[in-house]
Amino acid sequence: MELSYSTVSSVLDSWEKLRAHSDFEETVGIQLFQNFLTLQPNAKLALGLPKDLDITSRATMEENKRFAKKASYFVKFFLLMIGKVVDMLGPDMDTVEDILLDLGQRHVRYGVQPEFYVSLGQALMTTLEANLKPADFNAPVKAAWVQVYAAISHSMIMGHNQLLKETQQK
Ligand code: HEM
């Protein structure tokens, strides 16, 4: 995994701008989940949501609140992971990779399929684009996000595949 300092700091800068959004968790979080689940309705089960929940319709307030809770929980972890990657940039990239391999293995147990990562990446880009000013989400910033997300999800999918291989061998 190779990420330059400028790539990661560009992601962190725009992430901070996004967090400054007045209702980051409620609005941005719900949008991320709606975008993700629109692309990947099969992921509902893994997130503990009813299979037939229509996320595109105007959800009731109750459902919105449940969404927001899940979304903010997830968004928090996501930030934590990016933070970890940044902290360990440089000589310690092997450690980050090990952490992400483990994380990917745990996600197999959460019912996550490899293709969910692709949809989440797409949903993330759409959500960033919709909530950041065009100047703050310009081509280089977007490219940095794509690179960071690809690196993280690639290692997680490797962990996923490793675990499946190990279980098959047993
Ligand atoms: C790059 C992408 C992702 C990152 C960085 C990420 C990160 C995390 C982290 C740090 C946790 C905390 C629990 C742990 O450490 O084992 C977690 C939990 C979880 N993630 Fe992800 N995740 C990603 C993608 C996904 C996707 C695509 C799904 C699809 C549905 C998903 C579903 C879940 C679920 C269901 C949990 C467990 C929540 C619970 O404990 O109730 N994650 N994720």
Side-chain angles (χ1 to χ4, degrees):
M1 185 196 284
E2 280 187 36
L3 295 168
S4 72
Y5 178 77
S6 75
T7 300
V8 178
S9 60
S10 154
V11 162
L12 280 185
D13 275 0
S14 56
W15 185 257
E16 278 311 311
K17 282 179 190 139
L18 193 72
R19 281 174 63 86
H21 211 281
S22 55
D23 38 28
F24 173 68
E25 286 185 357
E26 302 267 322
T27 309
V28 181
I30 288 174
Q31 271 179 38
L32 176 64
F33 266 57
Q34 281 180 328
N35 290 338
F36 172 55
L37 291 174
T38 303
L39 290 167
Q40 197 56 260
N42 291 340
K44 282 180 197 164
L45 229 57
L47 294 170
L49 299 167
K51 223 167 66 185
D52 55 0
L53 179 75
D54 182 1
I55 41 103
T56 53
S57 80
R58 279 170 177 267
T60 62
M61 274 315 284
E62 258 334 280
E63 279 166 348
N64 264 332
K65 272 190 207 141
R66 272 179 53 204
F67 250 147
K69 238 189 187 161
K70 281 266 173 203
S72 67
Y73 178 79
F74 179 78
V75 166
K76 213 170 66 196
F77 278 123
F78 192 75
L79 181 63
L80 198 90
M81 285 316 298
I82 294 186
K84 271 194 179 159
V85 174
V86 181
D87 286 348
M88 294 182 225
L89 262 185
D92 226 359
M93 280 319 261
D94 287 350
T95 315
V96 189
E97 237 180 313
D98 285 346
I99 291 174
L100 291 171
L101 286 172
D102 275 354
L103 186 63
Q105 298 197 346
R106 288 200 296 278
H107 276 67
V108 177
R109 268 170 244 129
Y110 301 150
V112 174
Q113 315 274 338
E115 60 268 26
F116 292 4
Y117 290 101
V118 180
S119 306
L120 183 66
Q122 287 169 350
L124 183 66
M125 298 311 148
T126 313
T127 311
L128 290 168
E129 197 146 24
N131 291 284
L132 286 169
K133 293 192 193 100
D136 292 334
F137 196 62
N138 56 21
V141 175
K142 187 173 176 179
W145 270 100
V146 169
Q147 218 189 323
V148 167
Y149 185 82
I152 294 176
S153 58
H154 177 77
S155 299
M156 288 178 71
I157 293 171
M158 282 203 348
H160 182 109
N161 291 337
Q162 263 177 14
L163 185 76
L164 290 193
K165 222 167 152 192
E166 279 169 25
T167 8
Q168 271 163 12
Q169 277 165 0
K170 272 178 199 158

